[in-house]
Amino acid sequence: MKKCQVCSTPLNCFMSFGQMPLANGFLTPDQFADEYFFELSVGSCLHCGMFQLMEQPNREMMFNERYPFYSGSSRGMAVHFKKFAEHVKKDYLFSKDPFVVEIGSNDGIMLRHFADADIRHLGIEPSLNVAQVAIDRGINTISTFFDEDCASEIVKKYGQADAFFAANVMCHIPYLHSIVKGMGILLKPKGVVIFEDPYLGNVIENTSYDQIYDEHVFLFSLSSIRYLFGQHDMELIDIEPQKTHGGSMRYIIARKGMYPVSDRVHLQLKKEKNMALDKPETYESFRKCCEHSRDSLTALLRDLSRQGKRIVGYAATSKSTTIINYCGIGTDLIEFISDTTPIKQGKFSPGAHIPVRPYEEFSKNYPDYALLFAYNHAKEIMAKEQKFVETGGKWIVYVPQIKVL
Ligand code: JHZ
Ligand code: SAH
Ligand code: ZN
């Protein structure tokens, strides 16, 4: 039986999504025969509350010099990180010559706002191709995986940090104790850790099971985060719920006793109790909701396909890999997936091998239906796709419910 990565208690494995490829493993036909698969199954720890994958591929298989997710691929996220950076500068940087560190800094979407303001900063980003975009833009970045040894090296070279950021990366790292120890080494006594990730409460509430894929080894809740940091003499002092990525939570952490704990933390912990995030029944019913969502989506797509309708996928997101493969969606149902990322275009989707085509192919010859794999960017996308709708095109969304818009 697999054990919890955080507290070593045997896990309550409640669901398998079957054999899955790498969510960002876009490939060429000569690679089809050797494609890597693993069993995507999930469990929740009834002791510390951590929701996690039972098995995760090696980090180098996922994060390398060919990583195809560029944070700058959404305008909305660029705005989000601009506001995030302004908030940090205003509310968390008090020393004379502050120093900030970000892990998973990707193409520099967040740190550019510190670089542009001449604030000392360092990005840690193992995926070299995306790190290079930041480096080329003058953002101080090293391409490596963060852990406690890396933290010691940083302190030697730059001194301790005032703030440590991590957006959509903490939930990707199985060795969290080493990361949190690294934060302890790196932070000044009054320094803060600010990180955000998709929130377990939103995933359960919206049946957004597509947040479950190889990279997301955890889905956090306040209770699991409090447990983790509590083991390292640190504490959760505040939270700020976010709308990004279909519902995320921003956590603010400091050394124990340094700052008061906000009421928001206690209120949200109560909400988690009410949602029964600590009860196995919750996960049993989540499993049923996932199966129901899968069956309704495939029934809808098959029905439209029988009527001879053209259906195209919109945005080759990481999340879509779980949807496509768990629902058994193939080229019989979807003609291609339109995506704006150059290195995904011309390749095929992981597992189901649906062609990924440049956005121009979507806008030149609108399909009858577009299956929106990036519902988290719905506002941004629907605003720019008014013509698609005006000419009779319809959107299919599946979070929180299957709907044709
Ligand atoms: P988007 C990635 O998830 C992976 P993904 C990762 N594991 C994670 O946690 C989050 O990011 C942070 C395309 N697109 O942002 C571009 C369009 O084609 O939902 C990208 O290929 N047209 C680190 O992959 C993809 O969507 C558009 O108009 O699920 C990005 O999808 C827009 C806005 C996007 O992240
Ligand atoms: N923060 C950005 C990027 C998220 S993508 C955003 O929110 O859009 C997650 C990134 O974390 C990837 O670029 C990946 O290469 C990086 N990453 C994965 N493991 C890491 C680790 N141990 N240390 C630092 N970065 C890591
Ligand atoms: Zn545990």
Side-chain angles (χ1 to χ4, degrees):
M1 198 170 190
K2 286 268 163 56
K3 289 185 174 166
C4 172
Q5 304 261 18
V6 171
C7 77
S8 296
T9 302
L11 287 171
N12 160 43
C13 177
F14 64 87
M15 173 166 198
S16 172
F17 293 89
Q19 290 294 306
M20 279 285 161
L22 303 174
N24 273 307
F26 295 90
L27 67 184
T28 48
D30 57 306
Q31 296 170 320
F32 288 175
D34 297 326
E35 191 170 10
Y36 173 86
F37 285 88
F38 72 107
E39 187 182 353
L40 182 69
S41 53
V42 284
S44 78
C45 177
L46 297 177
H47 179 66
C48 74
M50 192 64 85
F51 182 107
Q52 57 204 282
L53 301 190
M54 303 302 288
E55 182 192 341
Q56 189 191 32
N58 293 341
R59 62 187 192 179
E60 287 80 7
M61 288 184 70
M62 301 182 285
F63 309 117
N64 48 47
E65 69 293 346
R66 303 174 303 278
Y67 187 57
F69 172 70
Y70 290 77
S71 299
S73 61
S74 139
R75 283 234 180 118
M77 290 311 292
V79 173
H80 170 79
F81 283 108
K82 183 168 192 277
K83 285 191 195 146
F84 187 176
E86 278 162 10
H87 172 37
V88 170
K89 284 187 219 166
K90 186 169 148 277
D91 300 316
Y92 291 104
L93 294 189
F94 305 116
S95 73
K96 256 208 169 137
D97 179 22
F99 174 48
V100 301
V101 173
E102 185 185 16
I103 62 169
S105 48
N106 202 279
D107 57 10
I109 194 166
M110 168 81 166
L111 283 183
R112 61 196 283 180
H113 302 291
F114 295 86
D116 291 352
D118 278 329
I119 292 171
R120 288 195 305 131
H121 62 277
L122 176 66
I124 316 289
E125 175 45 68
S127 300
L128 185 58
N129 58 321
V130 295
Q132 196 60 48
V133 176
I135 294 166
D136 292 346
R137 212 187 169 278
I139 298 160
N140 192 25
T141 306
I142 52 174
S143 191
T144 190
F145 289 93
F146 181 77
D147 59 14
E148 53 185 308
D149 295 335
C150 176
S152 305
E153 292 301 314
I154 298 172
V155 175
K156 261 190 237 154
K157 193 160 170 199
Y158 298 90
Q160 283 184 309
D162 296 76
F164 181 103
F165 317 127
N168 305 301
V169 52
M170 285 287 282
C171 74
H172 295 58
I173 309 179
Y175 40 97
L176 281 182
H177 288 296
S178 174
I179 299 291
V180 179
K181 277 184 201 156
M183 293 169 176
I185 293 167
L186 196 50
L187 279 190
K188 287 181 183 171
K190 294 211 85 172
V192 288
V193 174
I194 309 176
F195 73 96
E196 58 189 45
D197 285 287
Y199 180 53
L200 176 63
N202 293 111
V203 171
I204 301 281
E205 199 170 66
N206 300 326
T207 317
S208 44
Y209 67 87
D210 57 347
Q211 286 294 0
I212 300 169
Y213 54 89
D214 57 352
E215 294 178 21
H216 288 177
V217 65
F218 300 115
L219 286 174
F220 299 138
S221 59
L222 268 64
S223 30
S224 60
I225 287 302
R226 278 227 310 183
Y227 180 93
L228 169 69
F229 283 91
Q231 306 273 301
H232 298 271
D233 224 20
M234 294 175 94
E235 70 184 338
L236 176 61
I237 56 168
D238 209 349
I239 51 154
E240 295 166 9
Q242 304 293 318
K243 291 208 171 87
T244 47
H245 293 295
S248 297
M249 190 61 79
R250 181 179 292 163
Y251 305 88
I252 297 119
I253 311 266
R255 293 187 200 276
K256 209 164 182 182
M258 279 297 172
Y259 296 96
V261 176
S262 153
D263 285 344
R264 276 187 288 271
V265 171
H266 301 295
L267 281 174
Q268 191 66 31
L269 282 166
K270 267 198 199 132
K271 279 195 196 161
E272 290 188 355
K273 270 263 172 255
N274 291 339
M275 284 190 74
L277 289 186
D278 54 344
K279 299 275 187 306
E281 301 82 65
T282 305
Y283 300 98
E284 224 9 67
S285 94
F286 174 65
R287 179 176 63 75
K288 288 188 188 132
C289 291
C290 293
E291 289 164 357
H292 178 72
S293 171
R294 172 196 62 192
D295 296 344
S296 322
L297 180 61
T298 43
L300 171 67
L301 296 177
R302 285 203 192 115
D303 187 39
L304 294 173
S305 163
R306 267 195 298 269
Q307 294 172 38
K309 303 290 186 197
R310 280 184 64 222
I311 313 169
V312 159
Y314 196 104
T317 59
S318 319
K319 298 180 288 289
S320 72
T321 295
T322 298
I323 298 289
I324 289 171
N325 291 285
Y326 178 58
C327 298
I329 299 170
T331 42
D332 52 332
L333 297 175
I334 286 189
E335 208 173 293
F336 63 89
I337 307 172
S338 154
D339 195 280
T340 52
T341 311
I343 67 165
K344 292 183 186 178
Q345 296 164 356
K347 296 210 174 113
F348 292 80
S349 76
H353 305 161
I354 301 169
V356 180
R357 301 258 170 79
Y359 170 69
E360 292 65 38
E361 295 202 23
F362 175 80
S363 54
K364 256 193 252 150
N365 182 17
Y366 287 135
D368 300 306
Y369 291 84
L371 178 54
L372 184 56
F373 288 128
Y375 57 84
N376 48 315
H377 303 307
K379 222 169 144 192
E380 172 178 351
I381 291 172
M382 290 185 182
K384 72 178 174 199
E385 296 300 355
Q386 284 175 7
K387 217 173 134 206
F388 165 60
V389 177
E390 279 161 20
T391 52
K394 293 197 168 75
W395 292 105
I396 301 172
V397 294
Y398 45 82
V399 169
Q401 276 113 27
I402 317 286
K403 259 193 197 148
V404 177
L405 309 170

